[in-house]
Amino acid sequence: MSRALLRSVHLETQQKVDRWVAGILIVFVALAPIIMRVKAFLFISPVLYPGAMGTGGKGDVFNYYKYVFLLVVTVVVAAFFLYKMTKGRYEIRPGYINPPLAVAFVLFLASGLAAPYMFLALGGDPSRFEGTLTYLCYFALFLIAANTEYTDRRVELLMYGLAVPVVVNVLISLMYFYGHDMFQIPWFRALIVPPGPGSEHTTGYLVTSLANPNYLSGFAAVTTALFWARAMWDGGRWSRWVVDVVLAVISFAAVLASTSTSGFATLVGILVVLAVAGLRLRPRRGWLGFAVPLVAFVGVFAVMSPHNPAVWENTIGTFVNLGGLEQRGAPGASGLLEAGYPRAVAAEQGASPMKAGSAQAAGGEAAAGQPAGGPKPNAPDGIYLPPAETGAGSGRLYIWKWAVSMIADSPWLGHGMDTFMFYFPQDDPAKNSNLHDYNIIVDKPHNMYLAWAFGAGVPALVALLALFALHAWRMVATLWRRILPGQAVRLLVPLFAAWVAWLVQGLVNDSVIGLSGVVWVLFGAAVSILFRYRPRTEPVKGGKR
């Protein structure tokens, strides 16, 4: 067989594999955020501690099957990719992503294997599953997505795949916002709760398929940014432009329905990014694609704000009052509270959802003054609790201070991913004055970057930041020079806007499979498009091409 013919056969094999991989990734993007199902299991805790942190029967609704889906998709896609490398003689593209990604992969793996609670670190907290294996899957999907050739139509389908979780979460969150719980609908409840003994005792409410209103806020900010950018740069049919605008607007409605500040604050920054990009890149739809969604956002806000004051308090009111990130009007700390399946409850939502138990009563007693002779114990373990209050950023600043201190204890390889709950001083009396409830179990740092440094070490965090910085530099430099054809720009700008939104919301939110897994795939697709136009985007010595 001639060399040219052999090369043609290899190229055909690569193209066939790319079609399969692209299709699987589109399905992953569409389904990963919305998978929900009750799963009960036995958890063996590494510590002797009562309640949610102890050994016993546990359960999950939102993340267990997402985790299983992530593992299955990663294995299947990796098998296709290995076939592409062996039978199709494909070689991984050299580029700016490889060195930092390789370093991050090695450090995350080493951290998991060296963690004191190794098995917990590998699999993750049994209510979150953000352990080492999850991150190795993220990295693998990113690398494969970056080394997959996409047609323009497949990239668009990848983005429009997000329409499925957008519509599902908008329906769930808006129904709850207006007093209708989808979990009480029999057929919908049957999708989540498997039949069997005890299923009738599973009670609660449903706010989002992502487990927590904060995660919904971050997810909706990402999708708002993506479809808003598409509305600006999509030069296709007007019917498709209308779809982009509608998806951006209903995503914004989900941001408001979450009554969480993080998503709204992210969109304030994205507004500036899109405005600057619009001035430089001259969107295909002109400023119509920027202004129409923005006016619609104002209309949605005007409709939803009077119904629940928390909408104002956690959006514009936060900036007007300089109130940090308090979320006083948000729903409970978990989207669905299932009876019989205890879970760690994090300090997510400010004062209103917290239990008015002994700690809160103790705060009132302390405020009234203590009797002569010294403080009076007012907690079950005989300690004195300060008044029940919510600290800056809904207690985030308090958690971050402890997180930084714990990172300093093990800076090189960290403590193990998703083991935060077992290192945080859960018996600290200051929890009552910062998280409004001494009984709350703090299970995550509420900052994606601190979670990486705590779990995998500072060098791993630096490796990921280097990866992000290199991509941001390449993307901004390429777009700013206006050297790409319009077709590439209309694909890259929405992907870049969504990616930036994810990075920004991560400053006050944690990573979650239903969002992070999707963004790593979109991130890889953006890198692939840049690779496609490498002759135009590679820097040239001497500054000339």
Side-chain angles (χ1 to χ4, degrees), residues 255-266:
V255 171
L256 299 184
S258 72
T259 60
S260 172
T261 306
S262 57
F264 183 82
T266 297

Side-chain angles (χ1 to χ4, degrees), residues 21-359:
V21 170
I24 295 171
L25 293 180
I26 290 169
V27 172
F28 177 77
V29 166
L31 298 183
I34 62 174
I35 295 175
M36 295 179 288
R37 188 75 167 171
V38 171
K39 173 64 177 179
F41 47 84
L42 176 64
F43 172 64
I44 307 299
S45 175
V47 298
L48 295 175
Y49 202 94
M53 292 176 59
T55 297
K58 307 291 180 182
D60 179 76
V61 178
F62 302 100
N63 291 314
Y64 176 81
Y65 287 105
K66 287 183 176 71
Y67 175 61
V68 172
F69 186 52
L70 173 68
L71 293 177
V72 171
V73 167
T74 303
V75 169
V76 172
V77 170
F80 273 107
F81 190 66
L82 290 175
Y83 179 82
K84 175 180 171 180
M85 293 180 68
T86 54
K87 295 296 184 180
R89 295 295 190 270
Y90 179 81
E91 296 181 359
I92 293 177
R93 295 160 167 167
Y96 63 92
I97 69 169
N98 295 341
L101 182 64
V103 172
F105 188 96
V106 170
L107 290 176
F108 270 77
L109 178 59
S111 170
L113 296 177
Y117 307 141
M118 184 182 69
F119 291 104
L120 179 64
L122 291 175
D125 183 302
S127 66
R128 290 170 35 78
F129 300 97
E130 278 275 326
T132 300
L133 292 180
T134 295
Y135 275 88
L136 298 184
C137 288
Y138 291 163
F139 299 156
L141 288 179
F142 167 64
L143 180 66
I144 294 169
N147 283 271
T148 298
E149 284 288 344
Y150 307 89
T151 62
D152 292 342
R153 176 173 173 78
R154 289 186 192 127
V155 177
E156 290 177 345
L157 288 175
L158 198 62
M159 289 189 276
Y160 280 125
L162 280 169
V164 175
V166 165
V167 171
V168 170
N169 276 283
V170 166
L171 287 174
I172 294 173
S173 61
L174 286 183
M175 285 190 67
Y176 186 85
F177 184 83
Y178 286 103
H180 305 284
D181 183 8
M182 286 192 69
F183 186 61
Q184 308 308 322
I185 301 176
W187 68 265
F188 194 83
R189 173 191 170 90
L191 296 176
I192 300 174
V193 182
S199 61
E200 67 277 7
H201 301 301
T202 303
T203 60
Y205 54 91
L206 188 64
V207 182
T208 170
S209 69
L210 296 165
N212 188 284
N214 279 340
Y215 301 151
L216 170 63
S217 181
F219 173 84
V222 168
T223 56
T224 301
L226 187 144
F227 291 113
W228 194 1
R230 281 195 59 83
M232 293 179 66
W233 273 273
D234 189 356
R237 296 185 300 271
W238 280 99
S239 58
R240 192 168 65 188
W241 179 80
V242 171
V243 172
D244 293 333
V245 172
V246 169
L247 289 172
V249 172
I250 64 175
S251 294
F252 181 74
V255 171
L256 299 184
S258 72
T259 60
S260 172
T261 306
S262 57
F264 183 82
T266 297
L267 288 178
V268 172
I270 291 298
L271 183 149
V272 177
V273 170
L274 292 180
V276 172
L279 290 172
R280 180 65 181 176
L281 299 178
R282 299 168 188 168
R284 295 289 297 274
R285 294 295 181 188
W287 289 101
L288 185 67
F290 180 82
V292 170
L294 187 59
V295 171
F297 295 163
V298 175
V300 170
F301 182 88
V303 171
M304 295 181 65
S305 183
H307 180 76
N308 187 344
V311 172
W312 168 270
E313 293 170 5
N314 295 294
T315 53
I316 298 175
T318 297
F319 297 96
V320 171
N321 300 323
L322 298 178
L325 296 173
E326 286 193 61
Q327 302 158 350
R328 298 183 183 279
S334 175
L336 175 63
L337 303 180
E338 59 278 5
Y341 300 104
R343 295 174 57 193
V345 180
E348 298 271 2
Q349 302 294 333
S352 60
M354 304 304 181
K355 297 178 181 178
S358 60

